[in-house]
Amino acid sequence: MQSKASPLLIVGSMAFDDLELPTISAKNVVGGSATYSAYAATVFAPVRLVAVVGEDFPSGDLEALSRRNVDLAGVERADGKTFRWAGRYDTNLMSRVTLETQLNVFADFQPKLPRSYTDSSYVLLGNIHPTLQCDVLDQVSHPKLVIADTMNFWIEGEPDAVAAMLKRADVLVINEEEARQLSGHHNISKAAKDILRRGPKALIVKRGEYGALLFDGSSTFFAPAYPLEDVVDPTGAGDTFAGAMAGYLAKTNDVSAAGLRRAVMVGSAAASFCVEAVGTAKIGRLSGQDVNSRLESFRRLMHVPDEEVN
Ligand code: AMP
């Protein structure tokens, strides 16, 4: 099936994460938006990765990505330390605070796309400095679909660069809190209306365990999150969602309203695996069969017996 898929270009962070989870703390966990998104996307399409790692980034983790059909020609190994992020989750894993963000090698990164990447039709601008997202896009000749992610760190710190990036994104994927922050509206429907005026044709608002909403300007679609008993580590769930969604669109080449709805369901299914283990432990082994079986569980979850209610 993968042979028909278009390659998906992904730019984002590759990171060491220090995670304070309710029952465990884990240090130096390999993560980053690009890492999670790439693993999830390869279930559906080959990935062309653009990122930078420092001298300290383990080669084994790069090899693992490469074995999953991730082209690493656009990943630079620079002198210095890898990007680092530290976060602490609350006891019910519903919210988190960022304790530290160290840009390290990302501070001086100037992405130069390998020539083999410039014809990419599908582009996922993963969470990273919005100017870097635009720099990457500048080098792609005819993108068919640009999906973008961002986060509070950039919305707060780089509002003009985020605004410039939004003008070039077809689909924006952010969480509820970020949608409120970006738009200044608490009500999500109002926030969506406002954000859709800034560039994107579609907006996906992730709501953690309460699923995701897709706004395309003329309709709204809801995808649930799978109700899991054991949520271990939500880190990377958003990137997994975006990666799986983008990979699926690159595979199907169907960017219609219906195609987007299907992609949102796929994103939600993939994200439900990410949270079941620390770091990329589960997402690094995700298969199409896993995603299909969770989609089947979603169908059962949402099945309404066909009887009249009166
Ligand atoms: P998510 O849980 O989907 O929001 O993504 C978590 C991942 O994003 C972690 O692995 C972090 O390394 C990475 N991350 C956190 N802050 C940033 C940032 N400001 N820019 C890029 N990546 C980040």
Side-chain angles (χ1 to χ4, degrees):
M1 263 203 205
Q2 268 205 9
S3 57
K4 278 190 277 158
S6 305
L8 169 70
L9 173 68
I10 299 179
V11 60
S13 56
M14 296 184 82
F16 285 124
D17 293 337
D18 292 339
L19 309 171
E20 289 188 28
L21 297 156
T23 51
I24 35 164
S25 288
K27 284 201 180 299
N28 298 320
V29 177
V30 168
S33 55
T35 312
Y36 284 102
S37 294
Y39 274 128
T42 54
V43 171
F44 305 101
V47 168
R48 297 168 169 176
L49 200 57
V50 180
V52 61
V53 296
E55 296 151 303
D56 50 358
F57 197 83
S59 302
D61 286 82
L62 293 174
E63 283 153 20
L65 283 162
S66 171
R67 282 195 299 274
R68 292 272 304 200
N69 214 0
V70 177
D71 184 341
L72 300 174
V75 177
E76 186 186 317
R77 192 184 276 278
D79 294 343
K81 286 186 183 166
T82 296
F83 176 93
R84 182 174 284 274
W85 176 78
R88 179 191 297 137
Y89 288 85
D90 69 358
T91 43
N92 53 18
L93 292 166
M94 276 298 284
S95 62
R96 73 177 181 210
V97 286
T98 290
L99 301 174
E100 197 179 18
T101 302
Q102 288 179 22
L103 292 181
N104 296 335
V105 287
F106 261 109
D108 300 315
F109 181 50
Q110 289 185 328
K112 174 92 189 64
L113 257 57
R115 199 201 293 263
S116 57
Y117 283 21
T118 56
D119 65 352
S120 305
S121 313
Y122 287 84
V123 180
L124 172 59
L125 302 176
N127 178 28
I128 194 62
H129 196 301
T131 302
L132 288 184
Q133 293 178 315
C134 289
D135 287 346
V136 166
L137 207 47
D138 286 343
Q139 298 172 57
V140 180
S141 47
H142 300 292
K144 175 173 172 169
L145 189 78
V146 178
I147 301 170
D149 189 356
T150 190
M151 75 183 290
N152 49 6
F153 186 80
W154 307 114
I155 297 170
E156 255 163 53
E158 298 286 348
D160 296 341
V162 169
M165 180 277 283
L166 286 182
K167 288 201 171 69
R168 305 177 64 184
D170 297 305
V171 181
L172 180 68
V173 191
I174 50 178
N175 69 32
E176 191 168 35
E177 199 188 318
E178 290 152 0
R180 290 187 171 129
Q181 192 182 13
L182 184 60
S183 66
H185 291 287
H186 184 82
N187 177 285
I188 287 302
S189 300
K190 283 193 183 137
K193 210 168 174 184
D194 176 89
I195 292 167
L196 290 178
R197 270 194 231 113
R198 299 172 189 222
K201 298 179 201 65
L203 169 71
I204 293 153
V205 180
K206 297 166 289 175
R207 307 176 75 203
E209 65 174 304
Y210 300 115
L213 287 165
L214 161 67
F215 297 89
D216 66 10
S218 52
S219 68
T220 307
F221 173 68
F222 169 70
Y226 195 72
L228 295 164
E229 221 172 289
D230 291 313
V231 177
V232 176
D233 173 16
T235 311
D239 309 309
T240 298
F241 183 103
M245 209 192 101
Y248 179 77
L249 290 167
K251 175 185 151 180
T252 58
N253 206 18
D254 175 6
V255 297
S256 67
L260 264 185
R261 286 181 177 214
R262 280 191 281 272
V264 169
M265 290 299 296
V266 165
S268 192
S272 72
F273 288 97
C274 177
V275 304
E276 289 182 312
V278 174
T280 58
K282 203 114 194 227
I283 213 65
R285 291 181 277 118
L286 188 71
S287 69
Q289 224 175 352
D290 293 332
V291 176
N292 278 333
S293 74
R294 196 128 294 168
L295 287 172
E296 190 47 44
S297 304
F298 272 134
R299 276 180 213 111
R300 286 195 296 273
L301 180 71
M302 294 191 291
H303 177 69
V304 181
D306 194 12
E307 276 174 32
E308 277 195 34
V309 180
N310 49 30

